[in-house]
Amino acid sequence: MRILITGGAGLPRRQSRRRIPCAGARNPGHRQFATGRREALPALSRLEVVAGSVVDRGLVDAAFVRFAPSHVIHSAASYKDPSNWREDVSTNVIGTINVVEAARRAAVKRFVYFQTALCYGRPERVPIPVEHATRPFTSYGISKTAGEAYVAISDLSWISLRLANVTGPRLAIGPIPTFYKRLNRDRNASAPTRYATFSTCPTSWR
């Protein structure tokens, strides 16, 4: 098994890699460190890191040719600036298309797409059922849902994980660390912080 992970320095990706090497997989990471950190990557002999962006089609194609992955975990995403629509579309849509096309040429056996629960917009029910309609209203949610749609029309065997907020060691950005920092400064958070809810909603598997 040869696994290629995009967005390899982000929190969900780091947690994935903690388990992957135990299965004897070669684990190349592909990362531009926009919202992750190089120092967060584990020191593993079977881990190779490619610093770059999934928007760079040539770089993506070269990485797939070099590593010839059998499985892909696509978690690279733009979400740092909600007002930067062009960056969200560039990374989350065009970047996803680049990775999907390269995965198809490499005859990847399984494609795992990291989605967001923001694809549901303001849900009608909680817990959110898998069949709930998608109606995102944020730039991140819209662009990630568009990326998922391109994965869906490919001929890849794929699964989409529609994740809510996640947290863990070394998480630096997002609502949870933001709330924590505000509370740590004795300031009021803009949302309840008595607890955090973490959920994984797999959907659209084939």
Side-chain angles (χ1 to χ4, degrees), residues 135-156:
R135 36 177 179 261
F137 60 88
T138 65
S139 177
Y140 178 59
I142 292 169
S143 57
K144 287 295 290 181
T145 302
E148 182 187 70
Y150 281 105
V151 177
I153 64 173
S154 73
D155 53 2
L156 295 169

Side-chain angles (χ1 to χ4, degrees), residues 31-98:
R31 183 69 195 174
Q32 66 170 339
F33 306 108
T35 55
R37 294 177 295 175
R38 182 183 290 272
E39 60 269 24
L41 295 170
L44 301 172
S45 60
R46 287 171 292 177
L47 173 66
E48 298 182 37
V49 178
V50 177
S53 170
V54 292
V55 178
D56 186 340
R57 184 177 179 182
L59 184 67
V60 171
D61 290 345
F64 272 80
V65 170
R66 177 183 174 188
F67 295 121
S70 60
H71 295 71
V72 171
I73 299 176
H74 179 43
S75 56
S78 169
Y79 59 90
K80 190 174 183 180
D81 183 357
S83 65
N84 194 342
W85 297 357
R86 294 182 184 276
E87 174 57 32
D88 286 352
V89 170
S90 180
T91 300
N92 302 339
V93 182
I94 302 302
T96 294
I97 291 173
N98 289 341

Side-chain angles (χ1 to χ4, degrees), residues 115-121 133-137 141-142 145 148 162:
Q115 223 316 17
T116 171
L118 291 174
C119 68
Y120 296 114
T134 56
R135 36 177 179 261
F137 60 88
I142 292 169
T145 302
E148 182 187 70
R162 294 175 173 176

Side-chain angles (χ1 to χ4, degrees), residues 188-199:
N188 292 325
S190 58
T193 55
R194 296 189 306 275
Y195 58 88
T197 301
F198 318 107
S199 65

Side-chain angles (χ1 to χ4, degrees), residues 106-171:
V108 165
K109 295 179 181 178
R110 191 66 161 166
F111 191 100
V112 180
Y113 182 74
F114 273 51
Q115 223 316 17
T116 171
L118 291 174
C119 68
Y120 296 114
R122 296 181 176 87
E124 298 171 355
R125 288 180 287 167
V126 177
I128 307 172
V130 172
E131 65 273 12
H132 193 289
T134 56
R135 36 177 179 261
F137 60 88
T138 65
S139 177
Y140 178 59
I142 292 169
S143 57
K144 287 295 290 181
T145 302
E148 182 187 70
Y150 281 105
V151 177
I153 64 173
S154 73
D155 53 2
L156 295 169
S157 173
W158 65 283
I159 184 171
S160 181
L161 304 179
R162 294 175 173 176
L163 305 178
N165 291 330
V166 298
T167 191
R170 296 181 295 277
L171 179 63

